[in-house]
Structures are given as C-alpha cells and as structure tokens.
Amino acid sequence: MDATSLLLSAAVPGEHARILLALAFVLVGAKLFGALVERLGQPAVLGELLFGVLLGNLALLGGPSMAPLEASETFAILAELGAILLLFEVGLESTPKDMMAVGIPATVVAIVGVVAPMALGFGVGQVMLPGESWMAHAFVGAMLAATSVGITARVLQEAKATRTPSARIILGAAVIDDVLGLVVLAIIAGVIRAAAAGTTLAASDILAIVLKALAFLVGAILVGSYLSPRLFRRALALRSQGVVLALAMGLCFGFAWLALQAGLAAIVGAFAAGLVMEDVHFEDHLKRGERPLHESLHALTGLLVPVFFVRMGLLVHVENFVKPGVLGFALFLTVAAMIGKWACGFAVPKGVSGVTVGLGMMPRGEVGLIFAGIGATLVLAGRPVVSPETYAAAVFMVVVTTMATPPLLLWSLRRDARA
Amino acid sequence: MDATSLLLSAAVPGEHARILLALAFVLVGAKLFGALVERLGQPAVLGELLFGVLLGNLALLGGPSMAPLEASETFAILAELGAILLLFEVGLESTPKDMMAVGIPATVVAIVGVVAPMALGFGVGQVMLPGESWMAHAFVGAMLAATSVGITARVLQEAKATRTPSARIILGAAVIDDVLGLVVLAIIAGVIRAAAAGTTLAASDILAIVLKALAFLVGAILVGSYLSPRLFRRALALRSQGVVLALAMGLCFGFAWLALQAGLAAIVGAFAAGLVMEDVHFEDHLKRGERPLHESLHALTGLLVPVFFVRMGLLVHVENFVKPGVLGFALFLTVAAMIGKWACGFAVPKGVSGVTVGLGMMPRGEVGLIFAGIGATLVLAGRPVVSPETYAAAVFMVVVTTMATPPLLLWSLRRDARA
C-alpha cells in the first residue's frame, strides 16, 4: 500500500521543508560564523558571507548540493525582505533634511562612481577582449558602475556610524547611483539591441526611464513626508497594540513595491520609507508603554538580514574561477572596479573621509550580477555580449569587491573615529 | 526599442513585487480590522480572518482577483512561518512537566474529539449521501476529526490564558489529535486505495506511521530537554549579541522540519521546541542587558502571524456555498462537527471548564481542508471519494467552525475568569 507515500506527499511539501531546514541552518551558522569573525575584530557580516560560501560549495567537499536552495524563489524573497528591512532600518536613522544637506557632494560622488569605473572597465575590455566590438567593451564598463549598498549599510550599522557625514554621502550616492546605473544599463542595452536589429535607439525610452525613477524619488520624499505624521496620528487613535510596527512595515513594503514599479531596486524604496518616518510621528505609543520601533525592528532584521548575506555567499561557485582564461581577466576587472570606486574619495567635501567613502562605494553585490546576467542575454553578431568567461570574471569582481569591503571599511571607520 | 521592457523584466520579478504589495496590504489591513473588532469586544484574530475573506472575494465586488496570491508558494510559506512562530511562542509558556501533568485528561479529550465527530460525520454521510459506499461515509467522518490549533492558540494568547489548565489540556489534546488524525487518515485512505486496487491494507504501514510520529514526540521532548540548556550555555559563551534569538529560532525551525519528516504538522514540532526551552536556560543574556526572548519573538509574530490568518480567510470563496445541494449538506456537516468536538467537554477532569475545552477543540482550519483535498484525489468506483459538492460542504464546515471559535472561546474564557 502507498498510504505512507500519500501521506508524506501531503504532509511534506518539499519547498516548505527545505525552507525550514535552510532557516534553521542559516540562522545558527550565520550567528556562529559572525561571532567567530567578530573575535578576530572583523564585522559579523563577513562571517555570514563566508558561511554562505562554505554552504554553497559543500558539494566540492563531498557534501550535499545547494542547487535547490539557490533556485528557491521563496528563499530569494526571504533574503530580499532581509535587505529591505536593513535599508529601512538604516533610513530610519536619517531624515530627508539630513540627506538634502549632503545632496550636492552625494551627487558628485555618485557621478564619479559611475563614470570612473565605466571608463576603466571600457579600457580593460579593449585590452583583454580585442576581438569584441566597442559595445561589448562598454557593457564591461557598465557592469562596474553599480553599487550594492547592503554590505556597506550593514558595516556602517555594526560600527554605529550611520549618522556620520561620510555615511550619509555614501547612502545618498548609492540611491543616485541606482538611478544612474538604471540609465546606463538602459542606454547600452538599448544601443546593442538597436544595433542587433539594424535600427537606432529612441531617446524617448531613455527619458521615460529617467523620469519614472526621478518621479518616484521626489514623490516618495514629498508625499511620504506629508503623509507619515498624519497616518501615524490616525493609526495611534485606534489605541491597538502593535499598530506602529504594522503601519511602519506596511509603508516600508509599500514603498519598496512602488520603487520596483518605477524600475528602481526595492531597497531604494525601503530606504526612502525609513527617511520620511520620524520618531516624533509615533512618540505617543512610547508613552503607552510600547517598545520603540527600532527595538521591534531589530528582532525582524536579526532573523532576515543574515538570510540575505548567507544567500549572497551561497551564490558564489568557486570552481568557476579556476577556468583557463578567466583568472587573469578577472583580476584586471577587479582592480579596475576597485580603483574606479576609490576615485569617489577624491570628490568628497572637506572634513569627510575620502577613503571611507571610496571603500563604502566599492561592493557590487547582487546588482553587478544582475547587470552581468542581462549582458549574457544580449546577442551581438551571433555571440552573447557577456560570454561565459566574462560572466565568470564579473562574478569574481563582485565577490572580491563585496568580501573585501567589510574589513577595509571597518578599518577606515575606526581610523575616522580616532581622528 | 524594448530597453524599457527588458529593464522592467529584470527589475520587477512578478513574485517579488506581488509579495511586497501583499505584505503591505495584509499588515495594515489586518491591524485595522483587528482593531475594529477589538472595539466590539472580539478577538483581533477574527478581524484578520474577516479581512482575508474580504480580500479573497474582492473579485465578486468588481475588484482584482487574488488568485495569483492564493497560488503563491512564497506567501503560503510566510503564512506557515507565522503559524510556526505562534505555536513556538505558545509552547514557550509551558514546560514538558506542565504538559505531562495534563497527559491523561488531554489524551482522553483527544480520543473523544476524534471518535465523536467521526461517528457523527459517518451518520451525516449515510443520511445525506445514500448512494455512496460506507468508505465514502467514513471519509466524511475523518474530515471532521482534525483539530487546527492555530486559532485557539491565538485566542488563548490574546486572553492571556495560555497557562490555565484548560488551555494546557487543549494544547496537549491538539498534539495527540495530530497523531490520531494522521492515523485515521492513513487507515481510511489505505482501505479505499486497497479497495480500488482490489487488495487489502497492510497493518505494518499503519504501524510504521504511528511509530514514526510517536518517536518524534518522545524524542523531541527527551532529547530537546537534555540539549536545550547545554546548547544555550555554549552559545552564550560566544558573548555575541542576539545569539539567544538565533539559536531559539534555529531550534524552532529545526524541530518543525523534523516533525514534517515524521509525517506530523510543522507546528507540532515548533510547539515541542517551545516546550523544551526554559527561560532559565538563557537567563545570563538578560543580565547582559539583552531583551528577553519573548519580546524579540513578539515583533516577529506581529509581522508573520497576521499573514497566516489573513491567508486562511483569503482561501474562502463564498460563491461556492450558494451552489444547489451544497448548503443543506454543509449545515448538517457543520452541526455534526461542532457537536462532535463539544463532546470533548464532557471528558475533562473536575475543575476544568468543559465548555472552554469543547470550544477550543472546535476549529478545523487548514487541517480539515488538507483532509478534504486528499479525499478529492481518491477514486472509488470511478468517482472521487470527496465530490466537488462534498468538498464545498467541507469548506463551509471549516469556515464556520474556524470563524465561530474566536468570539465563542473568548466569551467562555471570560466566563471562566469570572468564576
């Protein structure tokens, strides 16, 4: 009889069980590795990344394959919720006014941080891929332009430095960078697709993308600043427990959704939601004896943020880097990526640490991988714009810039604190 | 040019955006409806269920269809994580010793709560479905046997009554019920499949199911009680922040996974994990100025538990009940389901409120739906054992027993408190 298998198939839906097991391992492993690297004076996030790399490459050591977990949409969304909550938490620590105060230097840093790596990447493409067209070289440059602010935000938080001027410049520049990256990708992908189809690119499409992104940013800050105190006042009138956490989370996820609709990253929306919310909007609920929002949030981020960083490590396949022809290209690309972002450090105003800003802009994280992935789907003269070798080199660049950031940035932040 | 659509397809993965939007609406809507029904003296969970029903039937009012959200595996898993955290939290408030103290009455209540509804359901099947075989009637009875403890646990928690003797009897009986339900389903499904194949059922398969479930329960309590203080002592030696929450969550999800492997519900494992953990195991971290575990947990449950109850409401399609031939059968089935579980109230020891226990055992929740769903896949004499009409009637029974529990149970708990 197969009553057993019938019951098992009803009682053990594979994905449910997989997520439960993954969460159990990820939470304990991330905490253990985080605590170990903290003992070595490194930020906990580095331990979480390393635990992810170990987990993702267990198969090389004869362990089980993590391919089903890597492919799990639910695990990916849990990780993204972690990144969203992290940026929301970081956004809560600043106001729109704080960000406006660094608006001009942040814009300059963002522009340098896009132009310099693009130029260097274009050069590396010309030297290392002489057979490819200028459009493929430009795409290599575009892959270096992205900034992934998750790692930097986490290190700033661990070092309790989110309210420093350099932190605000990095965070502001990262938001602007997301818009610029979107535009750069749209232009280059558009030019390549037009060339492949034998036509030219319509400037109106590019303009539409830019306008939509800017409309979200300006709208979110203006409408959000107006609505937030009013919504919280109404919600507190309900006199129900936990209403501040529910509304705050609702706005956070709502803004993240709107950002996606505007073509931006969800974390940009979550950061904007955090910016427009001020403690004073829900002071009353503290008087009622409820816990402050940041304390409740802390439990949520404690659960979900490690999922994001462990998953980021999980996606690293070390065997890809030892392929012939990859490692040399990868090293050049990585150096160009690092120098390109460090150049931001020369664009900061007086009194702000250029080294900290340059290092804070360095990690490419998953944004770099998304760019490379899009390049792999673009075809020019019968070949993908991003070949499997270029893709592997891009992954190497992402891994090194991402993994090197936590220790270097923490070192720089400590140096700033001493100065 | 389709640069825009290319970018959008990369930047707006449908499922990510859908989950973000759903979370934003669910959190705010659940809190709003919860606060409104609280004003009417009802438990907040009823408001969350009603909000879910409204959301799920928006299409009838000319609104958007929630079919993609209902089908979303990620949303289902987020909801299940909510149920798991809720039962873990409830389990934390008791010890294995507390549960052993009510072991005998809880077992008696569980047995009555399975036998009485089965007998009544069998009778309803014979009267209302005269053309079907005795096996189909037995399956109708089996559908009434399940208890879904999530609703009850939540109402007990809202009424701050989780440590009362009646609450412990209900919780203990619900765990035993899960094992009994598993056995009943295995036997009836096995008999039907054997009859369809022209063979008989092997008793060894049934025995294997029972032994596996019992091995998990006994093993989880014994091994868990031994390991929990030792693991927390080691973890606290790491002197890293948030280590108690990470380990507690790791054990909770790990036990939930093990319960699934044993053929039981994940929430049974989470409840067992909560039982074996005692505050004294991690007292030290309070001395270090960290927040108590139940406070950190509260933020997590505040986010995820409403997702579970809203989703439960979302799955109710009111248009199914108005089909001809459904409503009469549905009413009989519902009355049988209610009376069958109320019979538990006569099996409680002196000094415990039989009405509270009977009402606490009443909700069928998603367990009843899983049973009905399995019946719909079983075929006997060329017809499904659970026809579409029987399925709709079962859904009605689940909805009524589930939605009626919060107000009735709260009324009974308040009456007990006054006595």
Side-chain angles (χ1 to χ4, degrees):
Chain A
M1 287 287 63
D2 55 357
T4 314
S5 64
L6 167 85
L7 272 164
L8 284 181
S9 69
V12 188
E15 182 77 349
H16 285 233
R18 182 179 301 125
I19 295 294
L20 287 175
L21 191 62
L23 284 177
F25 268 99
V26 163
L27 290 174
V28 174
K31 185 43 79 180
L32 197 67
F33 273 64
L36 291 177
V37 302
E38 270 181 334
R39 291 209 165 177
L40 303 173
Q42 298 302 321
V45 62
L46 183 66
E48 297 171 7
L49 288 168
L50 289 173
F51 175 67
V53 174
L54 178 71
L55 206 61
N57 293 280
L58 271 186
L60 293 181
L61 307 169
S65 159
M66 292 294 138
L69 188 62
E70 279 179 37
S72 162
E73 193 166 37
T74 300
F75 195 62
I77 291 179
L78 285 173
E80 187 168 315
L81 290 178
I84 285 171
L85 289 171
L86 173 65
L87 268 288
F88 176 67
E89 197 172 51
V90 169
L92 275 177
E93 294 172 17
S94 292
T95 65
K97 225 167 138 187
D98 296 330
M99 299 309 292
M100 295 300 169
V102 297
I104 293 170
T107 308
V108 175
V109 164
I111 292 173
V112 173
V114 166
V115 173
M118 275 202 68
L120 288 173
F122 188 84
V124 170
Q126 280 201 311
V127 173
M128 302 295 288
L129 306 170
E132 304 280 344
S133 80
W134 70 269
M135 288 179 273
H137 302 154
F139 203 91
V140 172
M143 292 194 307
L144 304 192
T147 299
S148 170
V149 77
I151 294 271
T152 298
R154 174 75 185 273
V155 177
L156 291 171
Q157 206 181 42
E158 285 193 49
K160 303 199 195 313
T162 39
R163 292 168 201 257
T164 60
S166 39
R168 289 200 170 126
I169 289 181
I170 295 170
L171 294 168
V175 168
I176 301 165
D177 218 50
D178 203 60
V179 181
L180 293 179
L182 192 72
V183 173
V184 165
L185 186 62
I187 293 175
I188 296 185
V191 167
I192 291 172
R193 296 196 148 226
T199 62
T200 52
L201 178 67
S204 59
D205 285 332
I206 304 294
L207 194 67
I209 291 169
V210 177
L211 286 180
K212 218 159 62 165
L214 289 180
F216 168 78
L217 283 177
V218 174
I221 301 290
L222 290 184
V223 178
S225 298
Y226 176 83
L227 276 184
S228 170
R230 283 159 182 82
L231 282 174
F232 278 102
R233 202 180 313 136
R234 298 247 164 140
L236 283 166
L238 286 174
R239 307 211 143 257
S240 170
Q241 266 231 321
V243 73
V244 165
L245 181 64
L247 182 57
M249 290 291 89
L251 288 174
C252 164
F253 295 132
F255 273 50
W257 178 79
L258 279 173
L260 280 181
Q261 303 310 307
L264 293 168
I267 55 172
V268 170
F271 181 71
L275 274 188
V276 300
M277 262 177 242
E278 307 304 331
D279 284 348
V280 66
H281 300 168
F282 36 85
E283 255 177 354
D284 274 0
H285 96 131
L286 297 179
K287 291 180 195 149
R288 291 184 200 165
E290 290 204 55
R291 272 183 304 282
L293 178 61
H294 66 88
E295 279 196 12
S296 308
L297 257 183
H298 213 70
L300 287 172
T301 51
L303 181 73
L304 288 172
V305 173
V307 176
F308 178 70
F309 292 111
V310 171
R311 183 169 186 275
M312 202 182 253
L314 191 67
L315 301 179
V316 174
H317 294 266
V318 294
E319 74 268 26
N320 286 343
F321 308 141
V322 294
K323 282 183 193 156
V326 169
L327 210 56
F329 182 29
L331 285 173
F332 272 100
L333 204 62
T334 306
V335 171
M338 290 176 138
I339 294 174
K341 290 289 184 183
W342 291 344
C344 298
F346 297 104
V348 298
K350 244 189 180 155
V352 173
S353 163
V355 178
T356 296
V357 171
L359 289 171
M361 300 291 289
M362 189 170 71
R364 300 312 195 278
E366 74 298 344
V367 188
L369 294 181
I370 291 173
F371 274 37
I374 291 174
T377 67
L378 294 173
V379 176
L380 202 63
R383 279 181 310 184
V385 171
V386 169
S387 68
E389 289 73 29
T390 305
Y391 188 83
V395 172
F396 184 89
M397 177 276 290
V398 167
V399 171
V400 174
T401 57
T402 304
M403 307 281 278
T405 298
L408 291 174
L409 182 58
L410 187 66
W411 160 81
S412 183
L413 286 167
R414 282 180 180 155
R415 214 183 53 151
D416 297 352
R418 277 196 305 272
Chain B
M1 284 289 61
D2 54 357
T4 315
S5 63
L6 167 86
L7 272 164
L8 284 182
S9 69
V12 189
E15 183 76 348
H16 285 233
R18 183 177 302 126
I19 295 294
L20 288 175
L21 190 61
L23 285 177
F25 269 98
V26 164
L27 291 173
V28 174
K31 185 44 80 182
L32 198 65
F33 273 64
L36 291 178
V37 302
E38 271 181 334
R39 291 207 166 179
L40 303 173
Q42 298 302 322
V45 62
L46 183 66
E48 297 171 7
L49 287 169
L50 290 173
F51 176 67
V53 173
L54 178 72
L55 205 62
N57 292 281
L58 270 186
L60 293 181
L61 308 169
S65 159
M66 291 294 139
L69 188 61
E70 279 178 38
S72 162
E73 191 164 38
T74 299
F75 195 62
I77 292 178
L78 286 173
E80 185 167 317
L81 291 179
I84 285 170
L85 289 171
L86 172 65
L87 268 289
F88 176 66
E89 197 172 51
V90 169
L92 274 177
E93 294 173 17
S94 294
T95 65
K97 226 168 139 184
D98 297 329
M99 299 309 292
M100 295 301 168
V102 297
I104 292 169
T107 308
V108 174
V109 164
I111 292 173
V112 173
V114 166
V115 172
M118 275 201 70
L120 288 172
F122 189 83
V124 170
Q126 280 201 311
V127 173
M128 303 294 288
L129 306 170
E132 304 280 345
S133 80
W134 69 269
M135 288 179 272
H137 302 154
F139 202 91
V140 173
M143 291 194 309
L144 304 192
T147 298
S148 169
V149 77
I151 294 271
T152 297
R154 174 75 185 275
V155 177
L156 291 171
Q157 205 181 43
E158 284 193 50
K160 305 200 194 312
T162 39
R163 293 168 201 257
T164 59
S166 39
R168 287 199 172 130
I169 289 181
I170 296 170
L171 295 168
V175 168
I176 300 165
D177 218 50
D178 204 61
V179 180
L180 293 180
L182 193 73
V183 174
V184 165
L185 186 63
I187 292 176
I188 296 185
V191 166
I192 291 173
R193 299 199 145 222
T199 61
T200 52
L201 178 67
S204 61
D205 285 331
I206 304 294
L207 195 68
I209 292 169
V210 178
L211 286 180
K212 217 160 64 164
L214 288 180
F216 168 77
L217 284 177
V218 175
I221 301 290
L222 290 184
V223 178
S225 298
Y226 176 84
L227 276 184
S228 170
R230 285 161 181 81
L231 282 174
F232 278 103
R233 202 180 312 137
R234 298 248 164 136
L236 283 165
L238 285 174
R239 308 210 141 258
S240 171
Q241 266 230 321
V243 73
V244 165
L245 182 64
L247 182 56
M249 290 290 89
L251 288 174
C252 165
F253 295 131
F255 273 49
W257 179 80
L258 279 173
L260 280 181
Q261 302 311 306
L264 293 168
I267 56 172
V268 170
F271 181 71
L275 276 189
V276 300
M277 263 177 238
E278 308 303 331
D279 284 350
V280 66
H281 299 168
F282 37 84
E283 256 176 354
D284 275 1
H285 97 130
L286 297 178
K287 292 181 193 146
R288 290 183 200 165
E290 290 204 53
R291 272 183 305 282
L293 178 61
H294 66 89
E295 280 196 12
S296 308
L297 257 183
H298 213 70
L300 287 172
T301 52
L303 181 74
L304 289 172
V305 173
V307 176
F308 177 70
F309 291 112
V310 171
R311 184 169 186 274
M312 203 182 254
L314 191 68
L315 301 180
V316 175
H317 294 267
V318 293
E319 74 269 24
N320 286 342
F321 308 141
V322 294
K323 282 184 193 155
V326 169
L327 209 56
F329 183 28
L331 285 173
F332 272 100
L333 204 62
T334 306
V335 171
M338 290 176 140
I339 294 175
K341 289 289 184 185
W342 290 344
C344 298
F346 297 104
V348 299
K350 244 187 179 156
V352 172
S353 163
V355 177
T356 297
V357 171
L359 289 171
M361 299 292 289
M362 190 170 71
R364 301 310 195 279
E366 75 299 344
V367 188
L369 294 180
I370 291 173
F371 273 38
I374 291 175
T377 67
L378 293 175
V379 177
L380 201 61
R383 281 181 308 185
V385 171
V386 170
S387 67
E389 288 73 29
T390 304
Y391 187 83
V395 171
F396 184 89
M397 178 276 292
V398 166
V399 171
V400 174
T401 57
T402 303
M403 307 281 278
T405 297
L408 291 175
L409 182 58
L410 188 64
W411 159 80
S412 183
L413 286 167
R414 282 181 181 154
R415 215 184 52 150
D416 297 352
R418 277 198 303 272

